Amino acid sequence: SNVSLITVKTNQKTVGEALIESGIIEGEQGPYGLYVKTVNGIYADYDTDGTYWALYVNGEYAMSGVDVTDIDTSATYKLEYTK
């Protein structure tokens, strides 16, 4: 798998806002908040092939979406293409 490590400098408060602002992710609002569909131009479509972008914080599967995950400058965030 190809992994891109990206450092984002931002004044935003949440991971989602920072990633949208920097053009890394695209998505749409869903019943649980922002539904990330594209990361670095790679599209995941759960409806067609069961793939999705999973968020990890410090290696742990996140229980909240990117748009409600507050930025912790000591944390590492990962979006993983998952099926």
Side-chain angles (χ1 to χ4, degrees):
S1 70
N2 60 348
V3 174
S4 297
L5 295 176
I6 299 170
T7 300
V8 175
K9 295 190 185 312
T10 186
N11 293 320
Q12 300 291 343
K13 298 283 185 258
T14 70
V15 175
E17 288 170 323
L19 294 177
I20 289 170
E21 176 186 63
S22 58
I24 294 169
I25 68 170
E26 294 175 15
E28 58 193 40
Q29 286 300 317
Y32 306 105
L34 181 70
Y35 178 44
V36 177
K37 292 208 159 182
T38 306
V39 177
N40 275 346
I42 301 170
Y43 184 71
D45 187 0
Y46 192 81
D47 294 332
T48 58
D49 60 9
T51 57
Y52 64 97
W53 287 102
L55 175 65
Y56 291 83
V57 181
N58 292 328
E60 298 285 324
Y61 188 84
M63 290 290 121
S64 58
V66 291
D67 57 338
V68 292
T69 300
D70 288 332
I71 293 171
D72 174 351
T73 55
S74 66
T76 301
Y77 301 95
K78 177 173 72 167
L79 285 160
E80 186 171 301
Y81 187 81
T82 308
K83 186 166 184 171

